[in-house]
Amino acid sequence: MICDRNYFVYQPLLPEVAAGTINSQDAVTPLRRLLPRVRVRLAEVIGVDLVRKQVQILQGRRRIPQQIHYEHVVLASGQVTDLSRFPGFSDHSLTMKDLSDAYRLRNQIIRCLELADVTEFPELKQQALTFVVAGGGFSGVETMGELVEMVHRTRKLYPGIGEADVRFVLVQRVDRILPEMSAKLSRYALQNLTRRGVEVKCNTALKQASAIAVITDQGEVIRTSTLITTIGNGPAPFIRQLNLPLERGKIKVDGTLVVEGFCDVWALGDIARVPLADGALAPPTAQYAMREAYCVAENILKCMRGESSQPFAYKPRGMLASLGNYAGVAQLYGLTLTGLPAWLIWRGFYIS
């Protein structure tokens, strides 16, 4: 296993780390503990020579280039944040990908509250207390839910800030939030966030961001000092350099998860465009990625034995999302749950 960090991050728990609901160590697991029979190498992958069958890495503090030979290579790099299509986002937005992002968000919120508590300028106070999240999928909704909880819990320590002074805006490009879940659970999530003071703007996209405002495609200017983005994912730089078939930033694989045109290059997870038997594509969730990994492992063994590979097939058990404030939504084995029961299942599943 070659990775540029020696721990695995449970990204759905990052909003709770930022809010201080859980400790940071509860959201990460060391790779060597998670993979006891795997040799882990801390290095940055910069390329893959598909002809010589070598993975090119940079190693150590001096970043010395090295090559590692392979018989089979599995590309499971996930996707990285790519905000190049959104003017101003790279310089003026926060992401939620790693522990450092959670810490940055927490510090930003505290800075805004400190400023808003003492400033004598109403426009500056309004700007500091307006929090915008771009993206209404799992990451965006979970981030907003914990953000609302943290701000309202913390603002009570600031006598100059009232509940009505704080504004939360969730911007979603499509017509509903949590589009991966059923319409019923999407409506419940919308009602829950709205009841807690969140403005949800569906069928809306952000066009531009600056240090003091964001502009939507409807022409609305929202003055804010805090923009959190959960959109704009793309392949890692070394993936772009490979001569592999890509579609919308994902590597095209066949039903057995081998990269089209190769017999020794495999891809899975967020970085792969995985076809399912019904003609749909596998969603970019951990639940599917874990089962894809089992399939790839079995197929590599079959190739080494000279046997035929098996196609990937998986029936999902359900989906979970946290809304903060001890509320959640869940689809499990055909059943739907909302509120505290869904949140307890969500929390128990991820902590375990």
Side-chain angles (χ1 to χ4, degrees):
M1 168 72 78
I2 305 171
C3 190
D4 58 1
R5 60 190 181 198
N6 62 358
Y7 57 89
F8 178 81
V9 179
Y10 292 85
Q11 290 184 353
L13 293 177
L14 288 180
E16 296 203 49
V17 174
T21 309
I22 63 174
N23 295 320
S24 58
Q25 60 264 31
D26 294 325
V28 298
T29 300
L31 288 180
R32 287 175 173 83
R33 180 181 301 168
L34 190 65
L35 307 168
R37 298 175 60 188
V38 175
R39 182 178 176 186
V40 177
R41 186 159 184 171
L42 188 64
E44 179 187 354
V45 177
I46 58 173
V48 180
D49 190 327
L50 301 173
V51 176
R52 298 180 180 179
K53 295 190 175 184
Q54 292 179 337
V55 178
Q56 301 158 343
I57 65 172
L58 293 179
Q59 184 79 50
R61 293 175 57 187
R62 298 175 64 183
R63 297 177 65 78
I64 299 175
Q66 297 186 40
Q67 289 78 36
I68 301 175
H69 176 76
Y70 69 82
E71 293 181 36
H72 291 266
V73 63
V74 180
L75 303 175
S77 58
Q79 292 198 314
V80 299
T81 302
D82 180 11
L83 300 176
S84 58
R85 294 175 293 138
F86 308 96
F89 275 45
S90 297
D91 297 325
H92 304 294
S93 69
L94 303 170
T95 58
M96 289 298 286
K97 289 284 191 181
D98 208 343
L99 281 179
S100 58
D101 296 329
Y103 295 141
R104 269 195 292 269
L105 176 57
R106 181 190 303 176
N107 294 337
Q108 170 67 8
I109 292 172
I110 293 174
R111 279 195 298 267
C112 288
L113 293 176
E114 293 286 352
L115 174 61
D117 188 49
V118 298
T119 183
E120 297 179 356
F121 300 97
E123 287 189 358
L124 184 57
K125 182 175 183 177
Q126 181 187 37
Q127 176 185 315
L129 295 177
T130 299
F131 303 93
V132 180
V133 174
F138 285 106
S139 296
V141 168
E142 291 172 345
T143 298
M144 178 57 82
E146 290 299 327
L147 178 64
V148 172
E149 187 68 13
M150 178 189 178
V151 171
H152 282 313
R153 184 177 68 244
T154 308
R155 69 164 181 81
K156 297 176 183 178
L157 304 174
Y158 297 87
I161 301 176
E163 182 177 355
D165 295 327
V166 186
R167 183 186 182 193
F168 302 98
V169 183
L170 178 63
V171 181
Q172 170 70 325
R173 179 182 290 272
V174 296
D175 59 356
R176 64 186 180 98
I177 61 174
L178 295 179
E180 301 89 350
M181 306 192 84
S182 69
K184 176 183 176 181
L185 294 181
S186 176
R187 285 194 301 271
Y188 176 86
L190 174 63
Q191 293 167 359
N192 180 279
L193 293 177
T194 302
R195 186 171 62 248
R196 294 160 59 195
V198 178
E199 300 175 32
V200 180
K201 297 181 179 293
C202 293
N203 293 314
T204 304
L206 295 181
K207 289 180 57 179
Q208 188 175 346
S210 68
I212 62 172
V214 294
I215 303 175
T216 73
D217 59 355
Q218 313 292 328
E220 181 183 3
V221 178
I222 304 173
R223 291 182 59 86
T224 180
S225 298
T226 307
L227 168 63
I228 307 149
T229 178
T230 61
I231 59 176
N233 294 319
F238 85 90
I239 295 289
R240 296 181 185 275
Q241 299 171 8
L242 303 180
N243 188 25
L244 295 177
L246 295 178
E247 184 171 325
R248 295 186 177 182
K250 293 178 179 285
I251 301 171
K252 295 176 67 176
V253 299
D254 66 15
T256 65
L257 303 181
V258 69
V259 177
E260 293 184 2
F262 295 85
C263 62
D264 53 8
V265 183
W266 311 77
L268 60 86
D270 289 14
I271 195 60
R273 184 181 181 276
V274 180
L276 300 177
D278 60 2
L281 298 176
T285 63
Q287 184 177 178
Y288 272 85
M290 289 175 63
R291 274 69 186 187
E292 291 163 11
Y294 284 118
C295 181
V296 167
E298 289 291 337
N299 284 343
I300 289 176
L301 290 175
K302 288 180 179 294
C303 286
M304 295 171 69
R305 297 171 185 151
E307 302 173 2
S308 299
S309 298
Q310 62 182 6
F312 172 70
Y314 173 65
K315 184 177 180 179
R317 299 177 181 178
M319 295 185 180
L320 302 164
S322 170
L323 305 176
N325 196 33
Y326 305 106
V329 289
Q331 294 176 200
L332 294 172
Y333 300 104
L335 300 176
T336 58
L337 296 171
T338 59
L340 180 61
W343 182 87
L344 288 172
I345 294 174
W346 178 89
R347 168 61 71 86
F349 176 78
Y350 279 111
I351 294 296
S352 66

